[in-house]
Amino acid sequence: MGLDGHVGPEADTELAALALKILVAGGFGVGKTTMVGAVSEIRPLRTEELLSEAGETVDDTGGVDQKTTTTVAMDFGRITIRAGLSLYLFGTPGQDRFWFLWDELSQGALGAVVLADTRRLEDCFPAVDYFEHRRIPFVVAVNCFAGARAYGAHDVSRALDLDTGTPVVLCDARDRDSGKEVLIRLVEYAGRVHTARLLDAVEPQADPA
């Protein structure tokens, strides 16, 4: 704003910028923290703690034996998709004892990415159920780990019994471009879903006979 109170073009651009909230969810050790860190253009905020012996009885580390830390609250990052469109990324904790945080994190979210590992596909069922029941649009992103058996998007969709039209994409959570493509796919899909719901809501009801 100038001395005369006029809002200049830089401020106009800033005011016109759109920021969307996106969740990154999935099972324990699936790569949520890795994905947020890979795509974020700012230093990501992490709330990780070392895995302890006490947690061995509740955290299933099968298939992720090298994992030494776990998210206990959330991960946070930001990425600019294009001029005027930024995404704020909130990575959710994977263990069920931290699921009470999900309701708070999901408020105001445009949609979610559910990361899946085909070695432990059942671990992403709770996230899929959570977003389906709350009608939050989501895409399933299969994190392609080295040595894991390769499955196509259609196979994963059938195995998870996803609703028709829910996108399934293959990705590498460590790669920024791969993660960005997943986020773009989510924004496009969520935009279509929310637009369809808005049109349904304003569609005039037929007069009763």
Side-chain angles (χ1 to χ4, degrees):
M1 180 178 294
L3 295 177
D4 59 355
H6 176 69
V7 177
E10 297 85 358
D12 287 341
T13 301
E14 184 177 343
L15 290 172
L18 180 63
L20 303 175
K21 181 179 183 181
I22 301 295
L23 300 185
V24 180
F28 176 68
V30 77
K32 300 180 294 295
T33 298
T34 299
M35 183 177 186
V36 172
V39 302
S40 181
E41 62 197 16
I42 62 173
R43 183 177 180 179
L45 168 66
R46 293 172 174 167
T47 56
E48 290 190 306
E49 295 291 343
L50 291 173
L51 291 173
S52 64
E53 292 183 2
E56 291 179 356
T57 59
V58 290
D59 294 331
D60 179 10
T61 57
V64 287
D65 307 51
Q66 303 304 312
K67 186 172 176 60
T68 59
T69 61
T70 183
T71 299
V72 295
M74 69 172 185
D75 300 309
F76 174 77
R78 186 189 71 206
I79 178 175
T80 301
I81 296 296
R82 57 170 172 76
L85 176 59
S86 296
L87 305 183
Y88 289 101
L89 309 176
F90 292 80
T92 65
Q95 300 99 310
D96 53 6
R97 66 182 184 277
F98 296 125
W99 285 349
F100 67 92
L101 295 170
W102 286 33
D103 287 339
E104 187 73 25
L105 290 174
S106 65
Q107 291 186 21
L110 174 78
V113 173
V114 176
L115 274 175
D117 178 354
T118 57
R119 301 171 301 178
R120 298 156 53 105
L121 196 59
E122 67 279 2
D123 288 0
C124 72
F125 272 110
V128 169
D129 288 342
Y130 182 91
F131 296 124
E132 284 185 343
H133 290 158
R134 287 160 180 78
R135 302 183 74 230
I136 297 174
F138 67 94
V139 301
V140 173
V142 180
N143 194 7
C144 299
F145 287 90
R149 182 177 174 183
Y151 291 90
H154 181 66
D155 294 328
V156 173
S157 180
R158 289 184 58 188
L160 294 176
D161 193 25
L162 298 177
D163 291 340
T164 302
T166 302
V168 176
V169 295
L170 307 182
C171 75
D172 182 346
R174 302 165 300 178
D175 183 78
R176 186 177 193 276
D177 289 338
S178 180
K180 185 175 180 179
E181 286 299 318
V182 171
L183 295 171
I184 291 173
R185 183 76 176 273
L186 170 63
V187 171
E188 293 173 344
Y189 173 65
R192 293 195 300 269
V193 170
H194 286 297
T195 298
R197 291 174 182 172
L198 180 61
L199 291 176
D200 287 343
V202 299
E203 188 177 72
Q205 301 296 317
D207 294 331

